[in-house]
Amino acid sequence: MTNPKILLPGQSIGILGAGQLGKMLAQSAQKMGYHVHMLDEKEACGFAVSHKSVISDFSDKEAVVEFGRQCDVLTYEFENIDGDILSELEQRINLPQGADFLLTTQHRQYEKDWLSQLEVPTVAYEVVKSVDALVQALQTVQWQAVVKTVRFGYDGKGQVLIQSEADFHQQLDKLKSLLAQQLLIVEGFCEFAYEASVIVARDQWGTIEIFPPTINEHRQGILAASYTRDWSEQPEVFAQLRDYSYRIAEAAELVGVCGIEFFVLASGDVLVNELAPRPHNTGHLTIESCNVSQFDQHILAITGRHLVPVQPLSSAVSVNILGQHIEQLPELIEQTPAALIHLYDKGEAKVGRKMGHITQLCSSTEAATDWLDTTFISQWLEAFE
């Protein structure tokens, strides 16, 4: 982008979405001296740290346009925003992220087709619109697949794991229900050694920075923990993670940050699983473990400023706090005195709802995994099941 519009302290940043990601973006923006306006469909935790709060449906074009007009720059905290509205907005207001990349990542087929054009490897996939086509696709992958809706769905929602023909018949009613709503994508089941994530940032000057890749652990389709590691043990894997992240950021003309989820195979080969063009749960530990956080980089990018070169300060591990964990907070505080606890103030502590996260700085990868394996944290992770 030529001649980026540079925002100065005192000017306003509008954020579509006021959940925990929006809240942490607002906190980064405010420490830099910006005013923050936030729009969400209901009372949300980010409103507590915003200068102005607006409640409106995200699909209300007039309301979203009016909100954007009152801000010097506009951004979003999650990808399930109406991309068509954003396409119109970028013609009328300062939306440096644009809408094209968002529209691509909102649709799993478009995303994988786009990655394939970049020669970035993904799992085998096929889009289906009928039960007969679904059966044929599953037969092709020998009944080993994850079937997902092409749009929306997160934390395991809108997804069905199929590991046998018997599984398919047991899940047939659910699959028919999903098919009645939208197309499905059949992704061949991937026997990966582990999942890794990269937070990549790019500013309006074309500079790209990546944060240290993390290794992720999931429970019931929900991210449970992420931790940094010493990639000198697998330099070829690190090189692939870095190179694909740069390729994606450049091709997307990314402005801000994007979370990229990878599958790392036993062979050392790397596949891209999903893209999220906004701050990502796996990057929360950057708040304490690096000289600059993913939220800081995003704010710098959208305000036309230069990214800060990333310098890791410590190994770290981060664990999500879900609704079912809240009653254990006193024990958590007592058992992990050196950990840093972030609570989002999201109201009712529902089972499976992300209420916060805890970050422990560690001396090494081994120390991070040891911390995860301690008795109390092991029990904590079991509470995800």
Side-chain angles (χ1 to χ4, degrees), residues 124-161:
Y125 64 97
E126 183 175 346
V127 175
V128 300
K129 58 181 179 181
S130 68
V131 173
D132 288 343
L134 176 58
V135 169
Q136 187 173 357
L138 288 170
Q139 287 174 337
T140 300
V141 294
Q142 299 180 331
W143 304 98
Q144 299 279 317
V146 181
V147 182
K148 304 176 181 179
T149 54
V150 293
R151 291 176 58 84
F152 310 119
Y154 61 94
D155 287 346
K157 298 178 178 67
Q159 302 184 18
V160 180
L161 174 64

Side-chain angles (χ1 to χ4, degrees), residues 36 78 299 333 373 384:
V36 178
F78 68 108
I299 296 300
I333 293 170
D373 291 338
F384 279 75

Side-chain angles (χ1 to χ4, degrees), residues 154-156 195 197 214-227 261 280-284 318-322 325 352 354 356-357 381 384:
Y154 61 94
D155 287 346
E195 182 189 285
S197 287
T214 61
I215 294 178
N216 309 320
E217 294 189 12
H218 288 80
R219 301 289 189 279
Q220 298 295 317
I222 299 175
L223 179 70
S226 298
Y227 59 90
E261 296 179 2
H280 196 259
N281 203 162
T282 59
H284 289 350
S318 180
V319 178
N320 273 328
I321 298 173
L322 303 184
H325 296 136
K354 293 175 184 173
H357 69 272
L381 292 177
F384 279 75

Side-chain angles (χ1 to χ4, degrees), residues 55-287:
I55 296 178
S56 174
D57 195 300
F58 291 122
S59 62
D60 186 336
K61 184 167 67 175
E62 289 186 7
V64 174
V65 168
E66 180 58 29
F67 173 78
R69 283 176 174 166
Q70 297 178 29
C71 307
D72 293 303
V73 69
L74 190 65
T75 187
Y76 48 84
E77 67 139 7
F78 68 108
E79 59 265 45
N80 291 341
I81 298 286
D82 190 316
D84 294 328
I85 290 180
L86 286 186
S87 293
E88 284 195 38
L89 282 176
E90 70 175 314
Q91 306 300 322
R92 303 161 69 174
I93 62 175
N94 183 16
L95 181 69
Q97 291 163 277
D100 288 348
F101 188 41
L102 175 69
L103 287 167
T104 297
T105 60
Q106 283 182 337
H107 194 288
R108 288 187 169 94
Q109 179 189 2
Y110 300 163
E111 179 178 282
K112 284 184 166 52
D113 288 349
W114 182 77
L115 289 168
S116 297
Q117 291 170 8
L118 295 181
E119 297 184 349
V120 174
T122 69
V123 297
Y125 64 97
E126 183 175 346
V127 175
V128 300
K129 58 181 179 181
S130 68
V131 173
D132 288 343
L134 176 58
V135 169
Q136 187 173 357
L138 288 170
Q139 287 174 337
T140 300
V141 294
Q142 299 180 331
W143 304 98
Q144 299 279 317
V146 181
V147 182
K148 304 176 181 179
T149 54
V150 293
R151 291 176 58 84
F152 310 119
Y154 61 94
D155 287 346
K157 298 178 178 67
Q159 302 184 18
V160 180
L161 174 64
I162 303 295
Q163 295 181 297
S164 67
E165 187 174 356
D167 275 351
F168 166 73
H169 290 293
Q170 288 180 345
Q171 300 282 1
L172 185 55
D173 287 344
K174 180 176 182 180
L175 290 166
K176 286 180 177 179
S177 176
L178 293 175
L179 265 174
Q181 302 168 42
Q182 56 177 294
L183 298 175
L184 300 181
I185 186 168
V186 179
E187 299 181 358
F189 186 73
C190 180
E191 289 284 358
F192 56 89
Y194 57 88
E195 182 189 285
S197 287
V198 171
I199 306 298
V200 60
R202 181 178 177 274
D203 62 26
Q204 296 178 53
W205 307 88
T207 302
I208 296 174
E209 289 282 336
I210 68 167
F211 288 91
T214 61
I215 294 178
N216 309 320
E217 294 189 12
H218 288 80
R219 301 289 189 279
Q220 298 295 317
I222 299 175
L223 179 70
S226 298
Y227 59 90
T228 55
R229 66 163 296 172
D230 180 3
W231 290 99
S232 64
E233 300 172 359
Q234 289 190 305
E236 297 86 0
V237 173
F238 176 80
Q240 291 179 77
L241 296 174
R242 178 196 60 210
D243 294 347
Y244 289 145
S245 298
Y246 270 71
R247 191 181 304 181
I248 289 167
E250 288 176 346
E253 297 184 340
L254 178 69
V255 175
V257 299
C258 177
I260 307 175
E261 296 179 2
F262 294 91
F263 293 143
V264 181
L265 310 185
S267 64
D269 291 331
V270 169
L271 307 177
V272 171
N273 178 31
E274 289 185 347
L275 306 176
R278 40 79 177 170
H280 196 259
N281 203 162
T282 59
H284 289 350
L285 51 73
T286 62
I287 296 172

Side-chain angles (χ1 to χ4, degrees), residues 356-371:
H357 69 272
I358 175 172
T359 299
Q360 174 78 30
L361 299 181
C362 305
S363 59
S364 64
T365 300
E366 292 72 21
T369 55
D370 286 347
W371 187 80

